[in-house]
PDB file of all heavy atoms in Angstrom:
ATOM      1  N   ILE B  71      -4.652  -7.106 -11.483  1.00  0.00           N
ATOM      2  CA  ILE B  71      -5.360  -7.906 -10.476  1.00  0.00           C
ATOM      3  C   ILE B  71      -6.315  -8.844 -11.206  1.00  0.00           C
ATOM      4  O   ILE B  71      -7.020  -8.439 -12.138  1.00  0.00           O
ATOM      5  CB  ILE B  71      -6.149  -7.000  -9.506  1.00  0.00           C
ATOM      6  CG1 ILE B  71      -5.191  -6.101  -8.737  1.00  0.00           C
ATOM      7  CG2 ILE B  71      -6.977  -7.835  -8.532  1.00  0.00           C
ATOM      8  CD1 ILE B  71      -5.884  -5.084  -7.856  1.00  0.00           C
ATOM      9  N   GLY B  91      -7.001  -1.478  -0.022  1.00  0.00           N
ATOM     10  CA  GLY B  91      -6.202  -2.580   0.481  1.00  0.00           C
ATOM     11  C   GLY B  91      -5.855  -3.532  -0.645  1.00  0.00           C
ATOM     12  O   GLY B  91      -6.724  -3.915  -1.429  1.00  0.00           O
ATOM     13  N   LEU B  92      -4.599  -3.911  -0.743  1.00  0.00           N
ATOM     14  CA  LEU B  92      -4.146  -4.841  -1.771  1.00  0.00           C
ATOM     15  C   LEU B  92      -3.727  -6.150  -1.106  1.00  0.00           C
ATOM     16  O   LEU B  92      -3.113  -6.144  -0.043  1.00  0.00           O
ATOM     17  CB  LEU B  92      -2.969  -4.252  -2.550  1.00  0.00           C
ATOM     18  CG  LEU B  92      -3.229  -2.921  -3.252  1.00  0.00           C
ATOM     19  CD1 LEU B  92      -1.964  -2.424  -3.930  1.00  0.00           C
ATOM     20  CD2 LEU B  92      -4.353  -3.039  -4.256  1.00  0.00           C
ATOM     21  N   ASP B  93      -4.051  -7.276  -1.737  1.00  0.00           N
ATOM     22  CA  ASP B  93      -3.781  -8.582  -1.159  1.00  0.00           C
ATOM     23  C   ASP B  93      -2.353  -9.058  -1.380  1.00  0.00           C
ATOM     24  O   ASP B  93      -1.856  -9.887  -0.636  1.00  0.00           O
ATOM     25  CB  ASP B  93      -4.735  -9.635  -1.732  1.00  0.00           C
ATOM     26  CG  ASP B  93      -6.171  -9.379  -1.334  1.00  0.00           C
ATOM     27  OD1 ASP B  93      -6.384  -8.811  -0.244  1.00  0.00           O
ATOM     28  OD2 ASP B  93      -7.078  -9.754  -2.102  1.00  0.00           O
ATOM     29  N   GLU B  94      -1.708  -8.571  -2.423  1.00  0.00           N
ATOM     30  CA  GLU B  94      -0.361  -9.051  -2.729  1.00  0.00           C
ATOM     31  C   GLU B  94       0.442  -7.970  -3.418  1.00  0.00           C
ATOM     32  O   GLU B  94      -0.112  -7.049  -4.018  1.00  0.00           O
ATOM     33  CB  GLU B  94      -0.417 -10.308  -3.594  1.00  0.00           C
ATOM     34  CG  GLU B  94      -1.165 -10.120  -4.897  1.00  0.00           C
ATOM     35  CD  GLU B  94      -1.294 -11.397  -5.692  1.00  0.00           C
ATOM     36  OE1 GLU B  94      -1.321 -12.483  -5.089  1.00  0.00           O
ATOM     37  OE2 GLU B  94      -1.355 -11.296  -6.922  1.00  0.00           O
ATOM     38  N   GLN B  95       1.774  -8.105  -3.326  1.00  0.00           N
ATOM     39  CA  GLN B  95       2.667  -7.126  -3.938  1.00  0.00           C
ATOM     40  C   GLN B  95       3.056  -7.511  -5.355  1.00  0.00           C
ATOM     41  O   GLN B  95       3.728  -6.765  -6.044  1.00  0.00           O
ATOM     42  CB  GLN B  95       3.918  -6.944  -3.064  1.00  0.00           C
ATOM     43  CG  GLN B  95       4.936  -8.073  -3.130  1.00  0.00           C
ATOM     44  CD  GLN B  95       4.667  -9.231  -2.195  1.00  0.00           C
ATOM     45  OE1 GLN B  95       3.532  -9.561  -1.924  1.00  0.00           O
ATOM     46  NE2 GLN B  95       5.713  -9.867  -1.720  1.00  0.00           N
ATOM     47  N   LEU B  96       2.615  -8.677  -5.819  1.00  0.00           N
ATOM     48  CA  LEU B  96       3.042  -9.190  -7.131  1.00  0.00           C
ATOM     49  C   LEU B  96       2.453  -8.423  -8.308  1.00  0.00           C
ATOM     50  O   LEU B  96       2.919  -8.575  -9.434  1.00  0.00           O
ATOM     51  CB  LEU B  96       2.664 -10.671  -7.247  1.00  0.00           C
ATOM     52  CG  LEU B  96       3.369 -11.595  -6.268  1.00  0.00           C
ATOM     53  CD1 LEU B  96       2.748 -12.975  -6.313  1.00  0.00           C
ATOM     54  CD2 LEU B  96       4.844 -11.649  -6.560  1.00  0.00           C
ATOM     55  N   MET B  97       1.445  -7.604  -8.070  1.00  0.00           N
ATOM     56  CA  MET B  97       0.816  -6.871  -9.169  1.00  0.00           C
ATOM     57  C   MET B  97       1.677  -5.715  -9.674  1.00  0.00           C
ATOM     58  O   MET B  97       1.449  -5.213 -10.757  1.00  0.00           O
ATOM     59  CB  MET B  97      -0.550  -6.350  -8.748  1.00  0.00           C
ATOM     60  CG  MET B  97      -0.496  -5.340  -7.646  1.00  0.00           C
ATOM     61  SD  MET B  97      -2.086  -4.923  -6.978  1.00  0.00           S
ATOM     62  CE  MET B  97      -2.568  -6.428  -6.228  1.00  0.00           C
ATOM     63  N   VAL B 109       3.935 -13.826   0.130  1.00  0.00           N
ATOM     64  CA  VAL B 109       2.986 -12.847  -0.401  1.00  0.00           C
ATOM     65  C   VAL B 109       2.541 -11.947   0.748  1.00  0.00           C
ATOM     66  O   VAL B 109       2.115 -12.424   1.793  1.00  0.00           O
ATOM     67  CB  VAL B 109       1.780 -13.554  -1.058  1.00  0.00           C
ATOM     68  CG1 VAL B 109       0.756 -12.540  -1.504  1.00  0.00           C
ATOM     69  CG2 VAL B 109       2.234 -14.396  -2.222  1.00  0.00           C
ATOM     70  N   ARG B 110       2.668 -10.640   0.554  1.00  0.00           N
ATOM     71  CA  ARG B 110       2.301  -9.675   1.580  1.00  0.00           C
ATOM     72  C   ARG B 110       1.298  -8.675   1.020  1.00  0.00           C
ATOM     73  O   ARG B 110       1.432  -8.217  -0.100  1.00  0.00           O
ATOM     74  CB  ARG B 110       3.531  -8.907   2.064  1.00  0.00           C
ATOM     75  CG  ARG B 110       4.543  -9.752   2.763  1.00  0.00           C
ATOM     76  CD  ARG B 110       5.737  -8.910   3.186  1.00  0.00           C
ATOM     77  NE  ARG B 110       6.768  -9.757   3.747  1.00  0.00           N
ATOM     78  CZ  ARG B 110       7.701 -10.344   3.040  1.00  0.00           C
ATOM     79  NH1 ARG B 110       7.760 -10.174   1.748  1.00  0.00           N
ATOM     80  NH2 ARG B 110       8.600 -11.108   3.623  1.00  0.00           N
ATOM     81  N   GLY B 111       0.342  -8.324   1.817  1.00  0.00           N
ATOM     82  CA  GLY B 111      -0.625  -7.309   1.428  1.00  0.00           C
ATOM     83  C   GLY B 111      -0.184  -5.941   1.905  1.00  0.00           C
ATOM     84  O   GLY B 111       0.804  -5.798   2.635  1.00  0.00           O
ATOM     85  N   MET B 112      -0.905  -4.925   1.474  1.00  0.00           N
ATOM     86  CA  MET B 112      -0.588  -3.559   1.902  1.00  0.00           C
ATOM     87  C   MET B 112      -1.834  -2.694   1.814  1.00  0.00           C
ATOM     88  O   MET B 112      -2.768  -2.998   1.075  1.00  0.00           O
ATOM     89  CB  MET B 112       0.530  -2.973   1.042  1.00  0.00           C
ATOM     90  CG  MET B 112       0.165  -2.770  -0.406  1.00  0.00           C
ATOM     91  SD  MET B 112       1.515  -2.164  -1.409  1.00  0.00           S
ATOM     92  CE  MET B 112       2.379  -3.662  -1.752  1.00  0.00           C
TER      93      MET B 112
END
Side-chain angles (χ1 to χ4, degrees):
I71 297 174
L92 301 177
D93 294 330
E94 58 184 29
Q95 75 275 33
L96 296 170
M97 64 189 66
V109 176
R110 295 179 185 88
M112 66 183 82

